[in-house]
Amino acid sequence: MTALALAHLAAAMVAATPAQAEEIDLAQADSSEIRAHVDDLARDRTSVEHELERLETERSELDALVEQADREFGTVEAQLARATTAIETAGDDLSSKIESLADLRTEQAVRYEAAERAGERLEVLAPMIARLTDRSEALSADLETARQALERAEAREREQTAVRSSGASTASGPPPESAGSVVQFAYAQVGKPYGAGMTGPNSYDCSGLVVAAYSQSGADLPRSSQAQWNQTDPIGRDELAPGDLVFSHGLGHVAIYVGGNQVVHATKPGDTVKVASLEYLPVDGYRRVPD
């Protein structure tokens, strides 16, 4: 039994490394991307929990091995009791008793070795279990955050679908007659592909769309969303008017307000210029281009 315990101990020292889901931008991703991310996080958490369960089982077995060795050989009384039993159960001749004591000594040495190795392994297991416990808790928190983001993305997409279905979408229709040239230009770009670093006419990124929209009306804006923030005037939510700029994602994203609680913006790589509800942007602030 002790030999089997030693073999099991050696095999258990090879631990699996749970996989880790890739990070995504939950505010920009669509529902299918977030749903896949939720699945990845759930698989990762399951993997971590299985590994944690395996290590906890191993720790319990090692604790039991150490406890048994201590109980049977850890005290003078225990050793005397084992020696007495060995002598009493041996044959009447002296050689049998000596052989029995020699077997006992060998068993004791093996048990000591197993207990010593178990103790060393227990010292390794403690931080491993602590790290996996922390990882499991972090994954649970990430999973809850991703699920909430998924709910928001699904609600946003349902709203966009409803807008398109009702004919209120401006993706292919004209802007309001009262809209200025900036808003009219923004509407005209809806459906064109996102292009990193592009300012049109065939593709845009978020700040590139703003540059293009304002340049055709005679305004010269800087290229990046952060610089655009710095060269425009702050306004409050209640002052927002068509043509004003809406900044979000730590000033890393900018959209053009077109009225009706909607913006036009170049969304993200792989997507297009879209009309979206203002409510679904994590807004940092509102700015107005000076006259």
Side-chain angles (χ1 to χ4, degrees), residues 245-283:
L245 304 182
V246 179
F247 292 83
S248 61
H249 301 88
L251 305 186
H253 188 71
V254 60
I256 300 172
Y257 184 67
V258 294
N261 207 41
Q262 291 186 318
V263 296
V264 170
H265 63 150
T267 52
K268 63 181 185 295
D271 211 332
T272 62
V273 177
K274 288 183 175 180
V275 179
S277 171
L278 180 62
E279 300 304 323
Y280 292 104
L281 288 177
V283 175

Side-chain angles (χ1 to χ4, degrees), residues 195-223:
M198 302 303 293
T199 58
N202 298 318
S203 62
Y204 302 88
D205 63 12
C206 64
S207 56
L209 177 63
V210 171
V211 168
Y214 271 92
S215 65
Q216 56 81 41
S217 67
D220 185 17
L221 289 178
R223 182 65 186 82

Side-chain angles (χ1 to χ4, degrees), residues 1-2 68-90 97 99-112:
M1 176 179 176
T2 304
Q68 182 182 9
D70 186 64
R71 183 174 61 252
E72 296 182 358
F73 293 97
T75 64
V76 173
E77 290 80 5
Q79 293 180 47
L80 286 174
R82 297 275 297 188
T84 300
T85 301
I87 292 172
E88 290 176 348
T89 55
K97 297 184 184 298
E99 182 178 354
S100 181
L101 287 173
D103 290 342
L104 176 61
R105 183 176 180 181
T106 299
E107 181 186 359
Q108 182 182 31
V110 172
R111 290 290 187 91
Y112 277 164

Side-chain angles (χ1 to χ4, degrees), residues 76-280:
V76 173
E77 290 80 5
Q79 293 180 47
L80 286 174
R82 297 275 297 188
T84 300
T85 301
I87 292 172
E88 290 176 348
T89 55
D92 292 335
D93 59 295
L94 181 59
S95 61
S96 296
K97 297 184 184 298
I98 292 174
E99 182 178 354
S100 181
L101 287 173
D103 290 342
L104 176 61
R105 183 176 180 181
T106 299
E107 181 186 359
Q108 182 182 31
V110 172
R111 290 290 187 91
Y112 277 164
E113 180 187 359
E116 183 177 350
R117 293 181 63 183
E120 293 171 353
R121 176 61 176 167
L122 284 168
E123 291 181 0
V124 173
L125 281 178
M128 291 174 63
I129 290 174
R131 284 194 297 270
L132 283 175
T133 299
D134 291 343
R135 176 68 179 146
S136 178
E137 292 174 354
L139 282 169
S140 294
D142 289 346
L143 189 56
E144 178 59 27
T145 299
R147 284 171 173 163
Q148 292 175 1
L150 177 59
E151 291 178 0
R152 291 193 296 271
E154 289 175 339
R156 180 170 63 248
E157 289 167 8
R158 284 194 299 270
E159 178 179 297
Q160 291 170 348
T161 299
V163 168
R164 287 192 295 269
S165 299
S166 67
S169 172
T170 57
S172 58
E177 292 182 2
S178 60
S181 62
V182 169
V183 172
Q184 290 176 343
F185 180 90
Y187 270 101
Q189 312 316 306
V190 170
K192 292 184 178 181
Y194 180 98
M198 302 303 293
T199 58
N202 298 318
S203 62
Y204 302 88
D205 63 12
C206 64
S207 56
L209 177 63
V210 171
V211 168
Y214 271 92
S215 65
Q216 56 81 41
S217 67
D220 185 17
L221 289 178
R223 182 65 186 82
S224 71
S225 57
Q226 292 86 352
Q228 289 170 2
W229 170 274
N230 291 331
Q231 292 193 23
T232 49
D233 299 328
I235 57 173
R237 175 67 178 86
D238 57 345
E239 301 175 86
L240 200 59
D244 289 335
L245 304 182
V246 179
F247 292 83
S248 61
H249 301 88
L251 305 186
H253 188 71
V254 60
I256 300 172
Y257 184 67
V258 294
N261 207 41
Q262 291 186 318
V263 296
V264 170
H265 63 150
T267 52
K268 63 181 185 295
D271 211 332
T272 62
V273 177
K274 288 183 175 180
V275 179
S277 171
L278 180 62
E279 300 304 323
Y280 292 104

